Amino acid sequence: MKQQVPLVLCFLFGIVMILTEFSPHTASQATYKEIANWGRVISPFVFVLAVVTLIQTHWTRIQRRVEHWQYSLVVFFGMIVMVVAGLPYGPQHPAFKWLFNNVQVPMDATMFSLLAFFIASAAYRAFRARTFEATLLLLTAVIVMVGNIPVGDLLWPDAASNARQWILDNPNLSARRGIILGVSLGAISQSIRIILGIERSYLG
Amino acid sequence: MATLGIWIAAFLTICIYSFLYRDNPFYRFAEHLLVGMSVGYIIVLTIYFGFIPYAWTPIKNAVTGETSALGFLTLIPICMGLLFFARLSDRHAWLIRYPIAILMGISSGIMIPNALQTDIFAQIRGTLGPYSVIGTLSAFEIVGAILMVVGVVCTLTYFFFSVEHRGPIAGISKVGIAFLMIGFGSAFGNTVMGRVALLIQRVDFLINGWLGTIF
Amino acid sequence: MFEKLMNIDRRIIFILVALVVIIPMLFTFSIPLNVSEPTQKLYDYIEGLPAGATIMISFDYGPSSFPETEPMAAAVMKHCFDKGIQVIGITLEYIDAVPLADRVMQQVAEEKDAVYGEDYVLLGYRPGESFVILGMGAEIASVFDSDFSETPIGEIPMMQNITNYDQVSLLLNLAAGSSVEGWITYGHTKFNLKIAAGVTGVIVSQMYPYLQTGQLVGLLAGFRGAGEYEKLINAPGEGTKGINTASFVHLLIIGLVVIGNIAFFVQRRREE
């Protein structure tokens, strides 16, 4: 029950989706559509896992009074405020939208904008032409940066943006395609292993 | 309310930027508030845009006769989805394997044929395609086409771990590393643009959106 | 001296970064921008669509990435409304994109006198990315039975003649994550839907293989892409303003890399 049934379910659903993909028969396409619909219906429930795990983590922090446990109360405060503002009247309620626009958006955007400072600091401290490969990386990054900005074209008319475009269209494209091919072959073989029950790590 | 919103947004923005000096209680407060509010937001939207349209409405329509009795079929995935709540009980936590297994099966089954087309066949076609019209290409484009095949083959060779990288394979793989470095370099160059964009937006808010309302 | 330079306090670099963002913002200036081929391709494709055609925009970005993608959305929608092209907005990957999409759609609609439900509509968010793409390929109403404010899809005038992707001329994915690959894999490969992308700088480089194969009809690359599109429609906006300001931060970072390397090589030579 605990091990075999999930493996059988995974196999059946996987095989049915592959077979129905190749059959244009009406019944086959209806099956494909219905099962894809089932996947869609199950998917929002995955959030339950994430939310439960987060609540458990912060609840444990409060119970054990670990260092900075008081901030876990802030997590619960923020969560409760949003749920109370949004759940009764829906996400279109002005209070919910106000909280989103004036609290959540500024914090989220600012948090990620910190990376601009760290990227500048890292570029200064770690971006060294120590080896041939590191030099290639550094030179490419500089050319793309100059090509990305209008000042680049002002300093070297057309050359800056053309050089950037050539790098993106040629060597970058080849490297990315190599990665796509490698990753996709890996993902496809992993999917086959999952359907056949060889890969079982998702069962925990 | 609008002015209050601007002031709160400015206060929280500065709280987070205070981390640039060093870690401090203001930053930690904002960080945890963000986590909590994001989760609260996800709960509300998942209920309104996920559970209600996917689970509640089809069942309601089937009960009221607005759709055929086939609507009750939706009960099967709903029940499967509800098994995720078994995570709350240590004794029954293993039940979440059922919906996870079904999702894995469906996703894998859908992915295999489509990914083969999108990421394997189409990409190989794209790499070899220029050679079918080579007569119409300029010298510059022919160089590009050759470079593309060389780059793709060398990059793939670098990722091919079943063979020991010695002799000619090591040489080809080294060329592959060079292509990868150019790829990562261009990614870094573009990433700078992305991160700077965020910073500009926040500084614009502080200068024009917040200080602009005072002075 | 070089040792000191190499061990400079990182907070001095932070102050420099802040200054090169703040100072250019205090002045008004404009630097000409060249239009790249991927942006031109997207513009040409939309320009070639007849009035009354429909494009779908998938807003797959959140508050952590909207400054780059929002100007793209605004520029493309302005172009569409000028040409009488209808716009359907949806959200797949980022649950918090709905209010952001609503905001930018309303702003552009007000500017261009576009009417909700007739010229544009925002269907909102549905979880289950790949399943949603597949579901809409069969029937949009089977996934979105109502718009984001719960108006039934049957009561929205512009949705009367739109059943599935057959009536959608282009899907523009404004993305900060992996949704473009999802749209290509399930939307383009399975339903032959034309896809274009407007992406954040972080993921620009990985789009090029799909552009070369024609799986993407066009590409807007970050702030620059937004600025280029604004230039094409002759309506400078946030993208143009942003990329101009960004120029100075880029120059600072390049300068820091150069100084850091000079200091590194001088010190290494001394040690040798």
Side-chain angles (χ1 to χ4, degrees):
Chain A
M1 278 297 274
K2 290 184 181 178
Q3 189 85 12
Q4 298 306 319
V5 177
L7 290 177
V8 170
L9 283 172
C10 181
F11 175 78
L12 285 176
F13 278 94
I15 289 294
V16 166
M17 290 316 275
I18 292 175
L19 294 179
T20 50
E21 170 85 33
F22 294 107
S23 166
H25 193 276
T26 321
S28 167
Q29 285 308 303
T31 309
Y32 186 91
K33 193 184 153 193
E34 186 59 32
I35 295 181
N37 184 40
W38 284 19
R40 194 158 47 81
V41 174
I42 297 173
S43 55
F45 289 93
V46 178
F47 285 116
V48 174
L49 260 187
V51 173
V52 167
T53 308
L54 187 106
I55 290 173
Q56 281 179 339
T57 307
H58 283 280
W59 187 246
T60 312
R61 280 168 58 92
I62 293 169
Q63 273 185 324
R64 292 185 185 163
R65 297 284 194 270
V66 296
E67 194 187 8
H68 301 318
W69 64 272
Q70 297 88 340
Y71 295 105
S72 292
L73 293 174
V74 179
V75 171
F76 285 115
F77 170 75
M79 189 165 69
I80 291 165
V81 165
M82 282 309 256
V83 171
V84 168
L87 208 52
Y89 304 105
Q92 291 308 313
H93 191 269
F96 187 74
K97 283 167 89 170
W98 188 90
L99 283 167
F100 177 78
N101 286 324
N102 295 299
V103 184
Q104 198 178 325
V105 172
M107 282 197 293
D108 207 350
T110 311
M111 195 65 86
F112 280 83
S113 75
L114 285 176
L115 292 169
F117 293 98
F118 297 127
I119 220 168
S121 173
Y124 179 69
R125 287 159 183 278
F127 226 174
R128 301 274 189 262
R130 287 175 206 273
T131 59
F132 170 70
E133 287 83 5
T135 311
L136 262 183
L137 193 140
L138 194 150
L139 284 176
T140 312
V142 169
I143 293 170
V144 171
M145 275 193 275
V146 174
N148 269 340
I149 52 176
V151 169
D153 278 323
L154 206 65
L155 298 172
W156 297 281
D158 295 333
S161 52
N162 286 346
R164 162 195 175 265
Q165 201 57 47
W166 186 86
I167 287 173
L168 289 169
D169 280 336
N170 291 281
N172 164 69
L173 188 152
S174 307
R176 291 287 163 186
R177 185 161 283 161
I179 294 172
I180 288 174
L181 286 167
V183 169
S184 303
L185 286 170
I188 290 165
S189 62
Q190 188 74 344
S191 296
I192 294 170
R193 285 166 59 87
I194 287 171
I195 290 173
L196 296 178
I198 301 165
E199 172 60 54
R200 302 172 179 195
S201 56
Y202 67 90
L203 292 176
Chain B
M1 273 313 259
T3 312
L4 178 68
I6 290 170
W7 276 84
I8 289 175
F11 170 71
L12 292 167
T13 302
I14 293 166
C15 280
I16 292 174
Y17 278 146
S18 69
F19 182 74
L20 292 169
Y21 181 67
R22 66 166 175 229
D23 194 11
N24 64 76
F26 289 101
Y27 169 76
R28 284 197 291 270
F29 168 79
E31 183 192 26
H32 286 80
L33 185 65
L34 172 61
V35 172
M37 293 193 76
S38 301
V39 174
Y41 181 86
I42 289 172
I43 292 172
V44 173
L45 261 78
T46 304
I47 288 170
Y48 276 91
F49 290 147
F51 293 131
I52 291 177
Y54 285 179
W56 174 251
T57 310
I59 298 297
K60 191 187 79 180
N61 289 346
V63 170
T64 55
E66 278 181 54
T67 55
S68 69
L70 278 176
F72 283 112
L73 265 181
T74 314
L75 274 173
I76 300 170
I78 292 171
C79 291
M80 282 295 147
L82 287 171
L83 289 179
F84 274 108
F85 285 98
R87 172 77 172 73
L88 294 168
S89 153
D90 287 341
R91 257 185 69 202
H92 302 101
W94 61 273
L95 280 168
I96 67 165
R97 289 176 178 179
Y98 283 51
I100 291 176
I102 292 174
L103 271 182
M104 293 297 276
I106 299 175
S107 306
S108 303
I110 288 174
M111 193 271 257
I112 293 169
N114 288 298
L116 270 172
Q117 288 287 344
T118 309
D119 292 331
I120 308 294
F121 300 146
Q123 297 305 320
I124 294 173
R125 222 177 290 132
T127 310
L128 301 176
Y131 292 93
S132 62
V133 289
I134 201 146
T136 61
L137 300 181
S138 66
F140 197 62
E141 286 168 330
I142 291 172
V143 172
I146 294 168
L147 202 64
M148 184 152 62
V149 173
V150 171
V152 171
V153 171
C154 293
T155 308
L156 275 175
T157 308
Y158 172 70
F159 286 118
F160 194 60
F161 299 119
S162 305
V163 176
E164 202 177 340
H165 287 201
R166 283 199 324 206
I169 300 285
I172 296 171
S173 145
K174 209 161 167 54
V175 178
I177 296 173
F179 273 91
L180 282 170
M181 288 302 129
I182 296 174
F184 295 144
S186 63
F188 179 86
N190 284 319
T191 300
V192 168
M193 177 170 63
R195 299 307 177 209
V196 167
L198 275 168
L199 175 62
I200 289 171
Q201 195 277 335
R202 293 320 295 154
V203 174
D204 185 39
F205 164 73
L206 286 175
I207 292 178
N208 299 318
W210 177 51
L211 291 176
T213 60
I214 306 170
F215 303 108
Chain C
M1 180 207 164
F2 284 106
E3 203 179 327
K4 263 189 185 170
L5 204 59
M6 282 181 78
N7 296 319
I8 194 172
D9 191 328
R10 63 186 183 143
R11 282 170 289 201
I12 293 174
I13 296 172
F14 295 165
I15 290 169
L16 288 174
V17 172
L19 286 175
V20 291
V21 174
I22 293 167
I23 294 169
M25 237 173 233
L26 303 174
F27 303 96
T28 311
F29 61 95
S30 177
I31 310 168
L33 188 65
N34 284 356
V35 176
S36 63
E37 197 189 336
T39 307
Q40 186 69 50
K41 276 182 175 174
L42 175 61
Y43 174 84
D44 291 344
Y45 187 86
I46 294 178
E47 186 63 21
L49 293 175
T54 304
I55 76 158
M56 190 179 262
I57 299 182
S58 185
F59 294 86
D60 293 318
Y61 57 83
S64 58
S65 46
F66 78 95
E68 279 182 286
T69 38
E70 203 167 78
M72 297 176 193
V76 171
M77 283 199 313
K78 280 176 191 170
H79 190 195
C80 288
F81 290 150
D82 282 342
K83 283 190 60 66
I85 295 168
Q86 297 172 323
V87 179
I88 302 173
I90 60 162
T91 296
L92 291 187
E93 199 180 5
Y94 284 77
I95 198 165
D96 39 11
V98 184
L100 301 175
D102 181 30
R103 183 175 70 185
V104 69
M105 287 185 115
Q106 271 192 43
Q107 277 170 3
V108 178
E110 270 173 36
E111 189 185 325
K112 296 286 174 187
D113 291 327
V115 180
Y116 186 83
E118 289 176 18
D119 302 309
Y120 75 103
V121 65
L122 176 59
L123 297 181
Y125 168 80
R126 290 288 182 270
E129 199 181 323
S130 53
F131 302 120
V132 173
I133 298 172
L134 289 169
M136 285 198 298
E139 191 186 2
I140 294 173
S142 71
V143 182
F144 289 97
D145 56 345
S146 62
D147 72 355
F148 80 114
S149 56
E150 292 173 57
T151 307
I153 203 164
E155 293 173 15
I156 300 169
M158 68 171 270
M159 294 305 290
Q160 301 304 314
N161 300 317
I162 298 168
T163 312
N164 52 33
Y165 297 142
D166 291 344
Q167 293 81 40
V168 176
S169 304
L170 177 76
L171 180 285
L172 172 65
N173 188 197
L174 300 175
S178 58
S179 56
V180 182
E181 283 87 343
W183 274 109
I184 294 171
T185 306
Y186 301 109
H188 177 72
T189 304
K190 198 160 168 60
F191 298 101
N192 209 19
L193 175 66
K194 295 279 182 201
I195 314 273
V199 299
T200 55
V202 181
I203 55 171
V204 166
S205 305
Q206 65 207 55
M207 295 295 121
Y208 277 80
Y210 300 114
L211 197 63
Q212 188 259 346
T213 53
Q215 288 164 299
L216 286 178
V217 298
L219 173 70
L220 300 179
F223 244 172
R224 187 185 169 98
E228 289 173 359
Y229 208 93
E230 286 169 1
K231 183 182 176 181
L232 286 168
I233 60 167
N234 200 21
E238 291 299 314
T240 312
K241 192 176 134 193
I243 196 68
N244 280 330
T245 311
S247 293
F248 299 94
V249 191
H250 279 70
L251 290 177
L252 172 73
I253 292 175
I254 293 165
L256 288 171
V257 170
V258 172
I259 294 169
N261 275 282
I262 291 171
F264 167 70
F265 280 112
V266 169
Q267 204 183 13
R268 195 162 76 170
R269 188 162 290 177
R270 275 184 194 164
E271 282 169 6
E272 279 168 6

